[in-house]
C-alpha cells in the first residue's frame, strides 16, 4: 500500500469517528445565568455573616451598658434637713521638738533598717548646719530625730543645740572615715565622738566622746588643710586664701580646668565642710565632700597629696 492510500484510509476513519461522537455544545445563556446565581448566593452568605457579628457586638455593648449604667432610683420622700455641722477645730501647731517627738518613732520608720555609715554622715552634716545660724533653717528636726532609736537617745545626744553630737563644741569641719574627726578650721579637736547603733534598725542608741591620744592631727591632711583652710579664710575675710590654698593643695591641671574655684564646685566661701566615704586606688584615693550646699561632690587625691579631680571632672 502506498503512502497516499494510507492517508486516505486514516482520513476516512477520522471522519467516521467525528460523525459518531459529535462535539459537546454549550448553552451560553444558561451558563451565564448559573454563574450569576452562584455569585448572588455568596454575597447573601457574606451579608448574613456580617449581620451576625454586628448583632453579637450589640449584645456585648448592651451588656456593658447595663452593667455600668444602671439607673439609681431617687428617694420619693424628701430627707430631713439637718443643721450645718460646725467647722472642725484645728489643734495648735506643735513646736519643732514636739513634732519630732510625735513623728520620728512610728512603726513604719522603726521597721526600715538604716545604714549606720549613712546615718553617721547625715547626723554630723545636720549638726554642722544647725550650728551655723545661716543654715539652721535647713535642718528638719523630724528627720534628725528619725536617726535615733528612740526619743530618749534623741534628747540626750542632740539636746537643744546639736553640740552633744560634736562633743560639746561647735565645729566647722567633720571627717568621717573609720572614726569621726572634728575640726575647727584646720585644727583637729582633742575629743572624738563614737556613735553606737541598734543592731536591727541601724539607728543611733548612744554616742560617747573620747580623748584624742597624741598630738597628731590625724585624718587626711589634704582634705582638712584645703577645706578647713577655706572655712577659716571665709570667717576671717581673707580674700587671698583661695589662690594660696589652691596652689598648695590642688593640681595645676585642675586649677587650669576649673579656674579660681577649683576643687570646690564654685563655692568660694564655704560655711563648713564634711568629707566621708573614703575610697582607695593604686595611686589615688577620694572622698565625698559637702561644703554647706544642698549637693555633695567627689574629689580624688593623687600620689602627690593634691586634689586632681573634683566635681566629677
Amino acid at each position: 500500500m502506498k503512502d497516499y492510500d494510507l492517508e486516505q484510509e486514516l482520513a476516512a476513519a477520522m471522519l467516521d469517528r467525528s460523525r459518531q461522537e459529535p462535539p459537546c455544545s454549550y448553552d451560553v445563556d444558561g451558563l451565564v445565568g448559573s454563574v450569576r446565581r452562584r455569585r448572588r448566593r455568596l454575597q447573601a452568605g457574606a451579608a448574613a455573616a456580617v449581620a451576625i457579628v454586628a448583632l453579637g457586638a450589640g449584645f456585648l455593648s448592651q451588656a456593658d451598658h447595663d452593667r455600668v449604667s444602671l439607673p439609681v432610683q431617687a428617694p420619693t420622700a424628701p430627707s430631713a434637713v439637718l443643721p450645718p455641722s460646725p467647722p472642725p477645730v484645728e489643734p495648735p501647731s506643735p513646736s519643732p521638738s514636739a513634732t519630732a517627738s510625735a513623728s520620728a518613732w512610728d512603726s513604719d520608720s522603726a521597721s526600715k533598717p538604716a545604714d549606720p555609715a549613712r546615718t553617721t554622715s547625715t547626723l554630723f552634716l545636720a549638726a554642722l548646719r544647725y550650728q551655723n545660724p545661716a543654715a539652721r533653717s535647713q535642718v528638719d528636726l523630724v528627720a534628725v530625730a528619725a536617726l535615733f532609736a528612740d526619743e530618749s537617745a534623741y534628747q540626750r545626744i542632740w539636746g537643744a543645740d546639736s553640740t552633744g553630737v560634736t562633743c560639746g563644741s561647735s565645729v566647722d569641719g567633720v571627717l568621717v572615715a573609720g572614726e569621726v574627726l572634728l575640726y575647727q578650721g584646720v585644727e583637729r579637736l582633742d575629743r572624738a565622738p563614737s556613735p553606737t547603733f541598734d543592731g536591727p534598725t541601724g539607728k543611733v542608741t548612744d554616742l560617747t566622746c573620747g580623748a584624742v591620744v597624741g598630738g597628731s592631727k590625724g585624718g587626711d591632711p589634704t582634705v582638712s588643710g584645703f577645706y578647713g583652710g577655706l572655712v577659716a579664710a571665709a570667717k576671717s575675710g581673707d580674700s587671698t586664701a583661695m589662690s594660696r590654698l589652691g596652689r598648695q593643695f590642688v593640681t595645676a591641671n585642675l586649677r587650669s580646668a576649673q579656674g579660681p574655684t577649683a576643687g570646690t564646685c564654685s563655692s568660694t566661701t564655704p560655711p563648713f565642710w564634711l568629707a566621708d566615704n573614703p575610697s582607695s586606688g593604686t595611686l589615688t584615693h577620694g572622698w565625698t565632700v559637702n561644703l554647706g550646699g544642698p549637693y555633695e561632690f567627689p574629689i580624688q587625691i593623687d600620689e602627690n597629696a593634691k586634689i586632681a579631680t573634683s566635681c566629677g571632672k
Side-chain angles (χ1 to χ4, degrees), residues 164-213:
V165 175
T166 55
C167 297
S169 301
S170 294
V171 300
D172 51 32
V174 178
L175 192 146
V176 183
E179 57 182 330
V180 179
L181 310 180
L182 305 177
Y183 290 85
Q184 289 178 339
V186 297
E187 298 297 326
R188 179 182 173 183
L189 297 189
D190 59 356
R191 294 177 64 79
S194 178
T196 303
F197 302 93
D198 175 66
T201 65
K203 296 186 176 184
V204 179
T205 60
D206 197 7
L207 186 145
T208 58
C209 292
V212 174
V213 179

Side-chain angles (χ1 to χ4, degrees), residues 28-56:
V28 177
D29 293 335
L31 180 63
V32 172
S34 175
V35 170
R36 286 176 177 173
R37 287 192 298 273
R38 178 176 177 80
R39 182 177 298 171
R40 283 196 296 270
R41 286 198 302 271
L42 293 174
Q43 292 174 347
V50 171
I52 291 172
V53 172
L55 184 60

